[in-house]
């Protein structure tokens, strides 16, 4: 995601860092290596476009062990208007469950190899029960600097979401809300913002999965680093396939 005070979007992935629409973590039910590819009409990270409202090509490679350990990498094209062309994420973590309660903890590093001082890293954790998931991510290292720098160390992102399958139809619906607080903005809260997304996806078998999504961020025009239309409702579509 874009981290400067110019124009910039989980997840996610994470569901993007830890955004439900930006990043897909590997299954840890059995030891395996898997891959995923996808195309989106607009790449959002935590409510803000990373492609200047353009399309993106994405993909990743994951390893999951039956102990609960997983590691992987994920990449996407981006367009920040400054020559930065792609994002490369590296992550590792551990997931498991206590009865019906699932948990996931780990670290993710967001790298922009052809960008200028954009890289940052987060530790994250989440809990899940049935169709519900809630978690947070905390920025522990960043190339951003300065007293008024957003996306510096100490930033905190909270999120909660629900993902519900519609029987055996192959359709599922999702609803997600996230809130971003910035450490260097704690006195004025001018940069802090919330965002939400809703989606409908369809499993199309060997052809992968397609999705239709709505995205909206509560970002005012006073945010110089945010897209001027970030507070408008936006529709984006996606296709992805795992191997």
């Amino acid at each position: 995601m874009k981290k400067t005070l110019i124009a910039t979007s989980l997840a996610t992935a994470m569901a993007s860092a830890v955004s439900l629409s930006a990043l897909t973590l590997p299954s840890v039910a059995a030891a395996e290596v898997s891959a995923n590819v996808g195309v989106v009409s607009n790449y959002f990270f935590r409510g803000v476009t990373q492609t200047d409202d353009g399309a993106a090509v994405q993909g990743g490679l994951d390893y999951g062990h039956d102990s609960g350990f997983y590691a992987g990498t994920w990449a996407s094209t981006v367009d920040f208007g400054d020559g930065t062309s792609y994002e490369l994420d590296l992550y590792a973590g551990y997931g498991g469950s206590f009865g019906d309660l699932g948990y996931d903890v780990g670290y993710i590093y967001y790298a922009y190899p052809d960008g200028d001082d954009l890289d940052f890293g987060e530790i994250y954790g989440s809990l899940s029960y049935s169709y519900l998931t809630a978690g947070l991510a905390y920025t522990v290292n960043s190339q951003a600097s300065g007293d008024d720098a957003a996306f510096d160390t100490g930033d905190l992102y909270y999120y909660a979401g629900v993902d519900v399958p519609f029987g055996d139809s192959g359709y599922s619906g999702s609803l997600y809300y996230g809130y971003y607080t910035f450490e260097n903005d704690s006195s004025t809260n001018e940069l802090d913002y919330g965002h939400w997304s809703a989606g409908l996806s369809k499993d199309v078998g060997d052809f992968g999965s397609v999705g239709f999504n709505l995205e909206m961020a509560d970002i005012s025009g006073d945010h110089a680093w945010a897209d001027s239309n970030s507070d408008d409702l936006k529709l984006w579509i996606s296709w992805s396939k795992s191997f």
Side-chain angles (χ1 to χ4, degrees):
M1 62 143 285
K2 183 71 168 177
K3 310 189 322 308
T4 63
L5 297 183
I6 309 178
T8 77
S9 128
L10 200 172
T12 276
M14 199 168 233
S16 286
V18 189
S19 167
L20 296 179
S21 67
L23 177 65
T24 302
L25 297 179
S27 169
V28 294
E32 64 176 11
V33 175
S34 61
N36 60 86
V37 295
V39 179
V40 294
S41 64
N42 196 346
Y43 168 29
F44 284 92
F45 179 83
R46 298 175 181 170
V48 180
T49 180
Q50 302 296 279
T51 50
D52 194 24
D53 288 327
V57 178
Q58 305 172 333
L61 185 66
D62 298 304
Y63 170 77
H65 191 268
D66 55 7
S67 66
F69 171 79
Y70 62 84
T73 183
W74 183 87
S76 176
T77 55
V78 299
D79 181 5
F80 300 152
D82 61 359
T84 307
S85 64
Y86 71 104
E87 168 189 338
L88 178 64
D89 302 341
L90 303 171
Y91 50 88
Y94 185 86
S97 63
F98 296 109
D100 294 331
L101 184 66
Y103 63 87
D104 182 15
V105 294
Y107 172 82
I108 181 169
Y109 186 79
Y110 299 89
Y112 303 86
D114 59 355
D116 184 18
D117 294 334
L118 301 178
D119 297 4
F120 70 108
E122 296 176 332
I123 55 174
Y124 59 84
S126 67
L127 294 174
S128 60
Y129 178 80
S130 185
Y131 304 132
L132 305 174
T133 301
L136 55 84
Y138 179 78
T139 306
V140 292
N141 59 281
S142 174
Q143 292 182 347
S145 60
D147 293 337
D148 60 349
F151 309 105
D152 200 351
T153 56
D155 295 345
L156 193 58
Y157 178 73
Y158 313 82
Y159 68 93
V162 57
D163 194 344
V164 181
F166 300 145
D168 298 324
S169 65
Y171 286 94
S172 63
S174 63
L175 185 64
Y176 175 91
Y177 180 79
Y179 193 82
Y180 220 146
T181 64
F182 298 93
E183 175 67 17
N184 285 338
D185 190 44
S186 58
S187 61
T188 62
N189 296 321
E190 292 180 353
L191 292 180
D192 297 355
Y193 72 92
H195 73 98
W196 67 269
S197 63
L200 177 67
S201 64
K202 176 67 167 70
D203 183 351
V204 288
D206 292 339
F207 295 99
S209 177
V210 295
F212 299 88
N213 311 273
L214 294 173
E215 196 91 24
M216 186 172 183
D218 184 19
I219 302 176
S220 71
D222 295 335
H223 293 69
W225 55 270
D227 180 88
S228 60
N229 296 315
S230 291
D231 58 352
D232 293 338
L233 183 65
K234 295 187 177 183
L235 169 68
W236 58 281
I237 60 176
S238 63
W239 170 84
S240 63
K241 182 174 176 60
S242 297
F243 303 90

